[in-house]
């Protein structure tokens, strides 16, 4: 693979970053993952906008302009012949000479930036036919989950807890209600209504979430942005998750209880279809 590191396109085996990089020492970095279908970037503008917000919340500088960023994404797709998969982008606060809790002056220590592609079947994901099983775990992350930082140890741990129980993912619960999945937003379906937690600092503002809710309303589904419990989810007709690399993915079991028929639900599958169809129209 050819990857991008601080202004250069290099083979992945030659890419290097400093051991003093603050993302390495302190998870002082933000990231985005943009999916690629048919060699095109899905909702690039949405990801670019959220990146700007994450950077500004952390007083971090973007080392490139948004036009340059689009160009780098496209160049990597081209150089790697990427048809389907995604692009990972990370901006870090750079590598000061010494480790220090206080962050450095951005005029003295420039931000670092890396991007790489990954090939993956997204449209024909095998897990869509079966749906996924989730467990619930307490949400023990920090309270600024709206900022997409590389501080991912708890979600990673949550995923492992799920795997140990023979499941695929974990939904996190705080004050009795679901916040989101380890790397996705969480939804339940009751009749014609799609229910998902409202936006706040408690969850990541999913780019896929925004698109799916918009398409759902256009397709005459009702959308309710409100809290729900694991018990309510277990009683729902359907459940699903969304993220850039899974689109809409049906959830068929929560803490051992089958949801609805125990198979991927019609509404979830319909939303998945609509999402793929509609988002391809604006893909760049
Ligand atoms: N919540 C969390 C905690 C996530 O990590 C992600 C994906 N990175 C999402 C939600 C989904 O966001 P998006 O649709 O923008 O991929």
């Amino acid at each position: 693979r050819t990857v991008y590191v601080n202004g250069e396109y290099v083979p992945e085996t030659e890419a290097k970053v400093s051991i003093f990089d603050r993302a390495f020492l302190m998870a002082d970095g933000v990231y985005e993952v943009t999916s690629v279908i048919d060699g095109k970037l899905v909702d690039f503008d949405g990801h670019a906008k959220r990146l700007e917000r994450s950077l500004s919340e952390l007083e971090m500088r973007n080392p490139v302009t948004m036009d340059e960023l689009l160009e780098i994404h496209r160049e990597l797709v081209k150089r790697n012949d990427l048809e389907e998969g995604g692009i990972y982008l990370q901006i870090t606060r750079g590598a000061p000479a010494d480790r220090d809790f206080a962050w450095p002056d951005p005029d003295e220590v420039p931000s670092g930036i890396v991007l790489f592609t990954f090939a993956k079947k997204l449209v024909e994901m095998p897990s869509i036919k079966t749906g996924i099983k989730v467990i619930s775990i307490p949400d023990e992350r920090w309270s600024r989950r709206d900022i997409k930082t590389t501080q991912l140890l708890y979600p990673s741990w949550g995923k492992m807890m799920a795997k140990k129980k023979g499941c695929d993912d974990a939904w996190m619960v705080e004050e009795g209600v679901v916040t989101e999945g380890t790397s996705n937003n969480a939804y339940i379906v009751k009749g014609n209504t799609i229910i998902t937690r409202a936006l706040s600092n408690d969850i990541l503002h999913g780019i896929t979430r925004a698109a799916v809710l918009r398409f759902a309303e256009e397709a005459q589904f009702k959308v309710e942005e409100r809290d729900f419990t694991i018990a309510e989810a277990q009683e729902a007709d359907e459940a699903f998750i969304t993220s850039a690399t899974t689109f809409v993915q049906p959830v068929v079991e929560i803490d051992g209880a089958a949801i609805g028929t125990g198979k991927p639900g019609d509404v979830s599958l319909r939303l998945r279809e609509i999402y793929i169809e509609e988002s391809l129209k604006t893909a760049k």
Side-chain angles (χ1 to χ4, degrees):
R1 262 183 307 191
T2 298
V3 304
Y4 178 91
V5 187
N6 297 325
E8 288 184 82
Y9 294 94
V10 292
E12 64 179 61
T13 48
E14 286 170 28
K16 286 194 174 63
V17 291
S18 165
I19 65 157
F20 296 110
D21 194 291
R22 286 180 56 94
F24 179 59
L25 297 178
M26 289 169 170
D28 191 354
V30 299
Y31 75 108
E32 282 295 330
V33 180
T34 304
S35 65
V36 171
I37 319 179
D38 291 344
K40 293 203 184 102
L41 301 158
V42 175
D43 215 337
F44 176 83
D45 294 346
H47 289 281
K49 218 163 146 189
R50 185 173 61 191
L51 175 67
E52 286 294 9
R53 184 172 177 280
S54 295
L55 289 168
S56 96
E57 289 297 301
L58 293 173
E59 300 168 15
M60 214 184 279
R61 276 193 201 161
N62 190 343
V64 297
T65 66
M66 280 305 160
D67 286 344
E68 285 167 338
L69 201 61
L70 176 59
E71 200 39 50
I72 299 166
H73 276 75
R74 286 180 163 158
E75 188 61 29
L76 282 177
V77 168
K78 206 161 86 190
R79 288 187 188 222
N80 293 293
D81 291 322
L82 185 65
E83 269 299 305
E84 198 165 314
I87 303 197
Y88 178 90
L89 146 75
Q90 178 171 307
I91 295 180
T92 80
R93 209 185 300 271
D98 279 306
R99 181 176 178 273
D100 188 355
F101 276 75
W103 58 60
D105 179 345
D107 287 329
E108 281 158 34
V109 178
S111 305
I113 178 168
V114 305
L115 287 94
F116 56 82
T117 57
F118 57 93
K120 195 174 172 200
K121 268 198 185 313
L122 303 182
V123 177
E124 301 293 334
M125 254 185 179
S127 51
I128 299 311
K129 290 206 169 66
T130 52
I132 61 163
K133 296 176 181 176
V134 305
I135 59 165
S136 64
I137 58 171
D139 197 335
E140 292 178 353
R141 297 173 297 166
W142 78 327
S143 57
R144 289 303 307 275
R145 303 154 192 164
D146 55 311
I147 309 173
K148 198 165 168 62
T149 75
T150 55
Q151 190 187 256
L152 295 172
L153 193 52
Y154 189 73
S156 166
W157 191 5
K159 197 91 163 179
M160 292 314 292
M161 288 191 246
K163 281 196 164 185
K164 279 183 190 150
K165 293 193 167 163
C167 293
D168 306 285
D169 205 355
W171 279 10
M172 295 178 281
V173 175
E174 190 170 57
E175 290 171 1
V177 290
V178 175
T179 51
E180 59 189 329
T182 60
S183 59
N184 43 69
N185 291 113
Y187 306 73
I188 57 173
V189 180
K190 286 179 152 186
N192 200 36
T193 306
I194 291 142
I195 300 156
T196 193
R197 191 185 177 101
L199 295 180
S200 69
N201 290 353
D202 299 334
I203 61 168
L204 186 75
H205 300 191
I207 303 306
T208 321
R209 177 190 183 280
V212 165
L213 293 186
R214 193 172 69 243
F215 299 146
E217 280 181 336
E218 284 168 12
Q220 311 303 320
F221 289 104
K222 227 181 119 218
V223 171
E224 272 179 26
E225 293 179 72
R226 64 159 173 89
D227 290 346
F228 61 88
T229 62
I230 290 292
E232 186 179 6
Q234 288 172 324
E235 294 294 311
D237 297 324
E238 298 181 26
F240 65 88
I241 56 164
T242 66
S243 78
T245 51
T246 58
F247 308 149
V248 174
Q249 172 141 42
V251 170
V252 294
E253 199 182 290
I254 304 175
D255 285 339
I259 310 305
T261 61
K263 297 215 174 74
D266 293 340
V267 173
S268 311
L269 292 176
R270 177 82 192 107
L271 284 175
R272 179 178 176 85
E273 240 173 59
I274 298 174
Y275 174 78
I276 294 171
E277 195 180 302
E278 290 299 317
S279 54
L280 263 177
K281 288 183 188 163
T282 56
K284 302 188 163 179

